Every structure is written in structure tokens, then in C-alpha cells.
């Protein structure tokens, strides 16, 4: 069942659409940052191999510290609007591959055929796992594509705090990793993005039973994220907002939170979505049958 669902996901139009949108985001950021911003602001960047060697040795080249890949891809800068667009659209991108599949299976009647051949619980668990994985992959694609694309143009040297190119200072979370273990810093955030993408994708499963069309299922995580962001801002608890947790440039908003607490929040959301989707859909028909039976018995008893 797991292989069957995974093949459906990979061959579906939703996954191809997420892949295409990821390429567009990466290409748009490459054009805006590498081609437009760097040349307009700095007249180009230092790409000469000897210059890079001198910089790694701690020597200055023309008094300029060049932009680098960690400050020059969609997850590592805020000079352009593409960082905001990416994390704004991330809930939709995560849902595209497989988030609406359960609603479509049930709406088309295909679900009845599956339940005849497979145990309901097995199908629901496999559906949840595949949807979670597909959402995580789709959410991380723009991040990875942008890094790989911009790496062709900007050097992979460590950020320099004195250069003032970045948005992470010493007071922010994991600032020591950002300057000393930069690959690890952005690797951890890639994991966070993928986990949050999985949560958004499975969140769409949780509302499938109450939806009347697939558009509501697709856009619910997006609307939920925006609403949660607004409410959190009013309540002054921005450090719990997914958009701030996922974005490596928003560490200012989660100041004081440890990575352990961030991952605890994410895993709690995963378990909540899993329990709600699997348990609800396992017992839903039983509850409906019980309510209908009780209602009929009540009418018969009291005339």
C-alpha cells in the first residue's frame, strides 16, 4: 500500500507543479539577487580564485568582503522579496503533491474500492506517511534549488559579522553555528522546513472530511498559517509562529527558544495531525452509525 501511494504521488500532477514552482522561485531569486542586486550594489562580486584564497587566509581584498552563498540564496537573505514569497507560499507548495488526494479519493468513490481490498487503518497510515514525506520534499525543494543554483555564482565562504551582510547577530539563536558551522546551521533549518512542510501537508488531510471542494483543502494550511501569524502577533507570541520558526533569517523573533523546544513543537503538531486524521477517519463511520441508530431509537420510543 505504501509503494502504491508513493507512486501515485510521484506521478501526479501536483508533484510536478510543486517541482515547477520550486524552479521558478529559485530562478527568480537567482535573477533578483545574483544578477540584479549584486551588480547594482557592488558592481559585481569577487569571484577570482586568488581573491577567495586571500579572504580565507584572513586578508582583505580591496577592502571588500564578498557576498557568499550563505548570505546569497533564498533562505539566507532578505535584500530581495523572494525570501518572503517563498515562506509565504510554502504551505501551498507542501500541499500540492498529495495533500488533496484523500479528499479526491473519497469524493470520487475510489476510497470504497480501496477499503474492500485493504484494511482501513493500513490505508490511512500509509496515506499520512506519504503525504507527510511529499509535503516535506516539496517544501524543501526551493531552498535546495536556490542554494545549488546560486552556488554557481557566489563563493562558499563563511559569513563575516563585520561585513554586515547578514541578518543574524550574536544575540540570535544558533548564531555561533551560523558563523562557525554554517553548513550545519542551514542544514538544521532545511530539516525544520521539511518537517513543517509535512505538517502543512497532513493538516490538509485533517480537514478533508469536512470540505466540499479540493480548493478548500489545498488552501486551508495557507489560511491557517496567516491566521495563526496574525493572532500570535496580537498576543505577542510570535516565537511560536511557523513562518518565524522555518525562516533562518527570522531568528530575532524566536530569541530565547532552544532548538529542542522548536522540534518539540513540530513533533507535537505531527502527532496531533496523525491522531486526528487516523483516529477520526477510523471511528467516523462508527460515530455516524451510532448517532443515526440513537436517533431512530429515540423517535421509535417517544413516538
Amino acid at each position: 500500500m505504501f509503494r502504491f501511494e508513493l507512486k501515485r504521488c510521484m506521478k501526479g500532477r501536483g508533484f510536478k507543479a510543486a517541482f515547477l514552482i520550486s524552479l521558478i522561485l529559485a530562478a527568480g531569486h537567482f535573477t533578483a539577487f545574483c544578477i540584479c542586486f549584486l551588480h547594482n550594489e557592488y558592481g559585481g562580486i569577487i569571484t577570482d580564485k586568488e581573491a577567495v584564497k586571500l579572504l580565507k587566509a584572513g586578508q582583505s581584498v580591496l577592502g571588500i568582503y564578498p557576498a557568499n552563498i550563505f548570505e546569497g540564496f533564498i533562505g539566507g537573505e532578505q535584500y530581495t522579496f523572494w525570501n518572503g514569497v517563498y515562506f509565504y507560499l510554502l504551505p501551498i507548495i507542501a500541499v500540492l503533491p498529495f495533500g488533496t488526494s484523500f479528499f479526491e479519493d473519497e469524493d470520487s468513490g475510489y476510497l470504497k474500492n480501496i477499503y474492500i481490498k485493504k484494511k482501513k487503518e493500513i490505508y490511512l497510515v500509509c496515506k499520512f506517511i506519504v503525504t507527510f514525506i511529499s509535503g516535506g520534499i516539496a517544501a524543501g525543494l526551493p531552498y535546495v534549488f536556490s542554494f545549488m543554483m546560486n552556488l554557481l555564482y557566489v563563493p562558499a565562504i563563511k559569513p563575516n559579522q563585520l561585513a554586515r551582510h547578514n541578518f543574524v547577530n550574536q544575540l540570535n539563536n544558533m548564531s555561533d553555528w551560523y558563523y562557525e558551522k554554517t553548513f550545519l546551521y542551514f542544514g538544521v533549518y532545511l530539516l525544520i522546513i521539511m518537517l513543517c512542510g509535512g505538517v502543512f501537508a497532513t493538516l490538509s488531510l485533517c480537514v478533508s472530511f469536512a470540505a466540499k471542494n479540493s480548493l478548500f483543502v489545498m488552501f486551508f494550511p495557507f489560511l491557517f498559517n496567516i491566521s495563526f501569524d496574525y493572532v500570535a502577533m496580537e498576543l505577542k507570541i510570535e516565537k511560536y509562529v511557523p513562518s518565524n520558526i522555518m525562516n533562518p533569517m527570522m531568528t530575532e523573533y524566536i530569541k530565547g527558544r532552544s532548538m529542542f523546544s522548536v522540534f518539540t513543537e513540530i513533533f507535537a503538531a505531527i502527532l496531533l495531525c496523525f491522531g486526528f486524521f487516523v483516529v477520526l477517519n477510523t471511528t467516523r463511520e462508527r460515530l455516524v452509525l451510532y448517532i443515526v441508530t440513537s436517533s431512530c431509537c429515540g423517535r421509535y420510543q417517544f413516538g
Side-chain angles (χ1 to χ4, degrees):
M1 195 70 216
F2 177 80
R3 290 182 180 179
F4 175 73
E5 289 294 305
L6 191 60
K7 286 181 181 178
R8 286 183 63 197
C9 174
M10 299 306 243
K11 293 181 179 180
R13 291 178 296 178
F15 188 83
K16 295 175 183 177
F19 190 89
L20 179 60
I21 292 173
S22 299
L23 284 177
I24 292 173
L25 287 174
H29 181 269
F30 177 84
T31 303
F33 185 82
C34 296
I35 305 302
C36 299
F37 175 77
L38 288 180
H39 280 280
N40 289 338
E41 294 294 324
Y42 300 106
I45 65 171
I46 301 173
T47 56
D48 182 75
K49 293 182 179 180
E50 293 299 325
V52 173
K53 288 181 180 179
L54 291 173
L55 286 168
K56 288 183 176 179
Q59 301 180 32
S60 176
V61 180
L62 301 178
I64 300 174
Y65 195 86
N68 59 79
I69 186 59
F70 305 109
E71 301 164 349
F73 79 111
I74 201 168
E77 62 86 21
Q78 289 182 313
Y79 294 108
T80 68
F81 65 89
W82 289 96
N83 176 277
V85 171
Y86 169 40
F87 289 102
Y88 191 71
L89 295 179
L90 191 145
I92 298 176
I93 298 173
V95 173
L96 277 175
F98 217 49
T100 61
S101 61
F102 181 78
F103 173 84
E104 293 168 355
D105 288 350
E106 191 170 38
D107 188 56
S108 64
Y110 180 67
L111 200 58
K112 297 178 181 179
N113 296 329
I114 295 178
Y115 286 164
I116 292 174
K117 299 178 181 179
K118 294 290 182 180
K119 194 175 181 180
K120 181 186 293 187
E121 288 79 4
I122 295 176
Y123 165 78
L124 293 174
V125 171
C126 290
K127 174 68 74 175
F128 184 91
I129 294 174
V130 173
T131 303
F132 181 86
I133 293 174
S134 66
I137 293 174
L141 282 178
Y143 190 94
V144 175
F145 284 164
S146 177
F147 189 91
M148 294 175 63
M149 193 176 294
N150 291 20
L151 189 59
L152 300 174
Y153 196 81
V154 290
I157 57 177
K158 288 184 178 181
N160 190 322
Q161 188 173 3
L162 298 178
R164 297 183 179 180
H165 293 168
N166 50 72
F167 296 86
V168 180
N169 58 52
Q170 291 179 342
L171 299 177
N172 295 150
N173 288 10
M174 297 172 62
S175 60
D176 53 338
W177 285 17
Y178 180 79
Y179 291 105
E180 300 298 330
K181 303 174 183 178
T182 318
F183 275 106
L184 181 60
Y185 177 87
F186 284 101
V188 169
Y189 268 99
L190 175 59
L191 178 60
I192 292 174
I193 288 170
M194 295 180 71
L195 290 174
C196 289
V199 172
F200 284 129
T202 53
L203 186 61
S204 65
L205 295 178
C206 295
V207 299
S208 295
F209 74 97
K212 294 184 178 180
N213 58 72
S214 59
L215 285 178
F216 176 78
V217 177
M218 180 180 296
F219 285 99
F220 179 79
F222 173 75
L223 297 174
F224 173 83
N225 189 47
I226 293 178
S227 302
F228 187 29
D229 193 355
Y230 176 78
V231 173
M233 182 177 63
E234 292 295 323
L235 298 177
K236 307 297 182 183
I237 53 173
E238 295 93 338
K239 60 184 178 180
Y240 298 105
V241 175
S243 299
N244 295 334
I245 292 173
M246 293 185 295
N247 196 337
M249 297 295 101
M250 291 293 185
T251 53
E252 176 68 24
Y253 291 94
I254 62 170
K255 187 185 299 182
R257 292 199 66 184
S258 64
M259 282 295 108
F260 177 78
S261 68
V262 170
F263 280 105
T264 300
E265 178 183 343
I266 294 172
F267 284 118
I270 295 171
L271 291 175
L272 186 62
C273 289
F274 177 82
F276 189 84
F277 173 68
V278 175
V279 174
L280 179 66
N281 283 284
T282 302
T283 59
R284 185 171 44 151
E285 293 180 1
R286 299 172 189 170
L287 289 173
V288 172
L289 181 61
Y290 174 77
I291 293 172
V292 172
T293 305
S294 301
S295 178
C296 292
C297 290
R299 289 179 182 178
Y300 177 78
Q301 182 176 355
F302 296 103

